[in-house]
Amino acid sequence: MQDITPKGAESEGVGNLFYDDIGYGEKNYGTEVDPEYGIAKEQFAWLWESTIKKSDLDRYGWNANPWVWVIEFERCEKPERV
């Protein structure tokens, strides 16, 4: 999971804020500030951990670095005669 790129994190729905934009006070996940995407990866780590039960953080949290898969969808148009 920690191999996600800042652009990939933004694709997952987090913004491209910078520390100065938010008056940074969140947990530091050790990700770097990207010149274009800011702390998108850091925000993704925070978002990911917010979905995990505290008792499961050691197995599924950001620091556990679990395997994840990307599933992509593509919109297709309905055929006219259907």
Side-chain angles (χ1 to χ4, degrees), residues 14-75:
V14 298
N16 61 348
L17 298 174
F18 290 83
Y19 290 120
D20 294 342
D21 296 330
I22 61 172
Y24 190 72
E26 298 292 334
K27 180 177 177 183
N28 185 336
Y29 292 95
T31 63
E32 296 180 16
V33 177
D34 183 271
E36 184 175 353
Y37 294 99
I39 57 171
K41 189 171 176 177
E42 184 103 358
Q43 289 177 292
F44 177 77
W46 177 86
L47 178 63
W48 178 269
E49 289 219 334
S50 74
T51 67
I52 308 295
K53 292 190 308 185
K54 289 186 182 199
S55 61
D56 290 336
L57 283 175
D58 61 326
R59 293 185 302 174
Y60 304 115
W62 180 258
N63 289 330
N65 200 18
W67 284 87
V68 294
W69 289 260
V70 174
I71 300 174
E72 296 180 322
F73 296 92
E74 182 178 315
R75 185 182 179 118

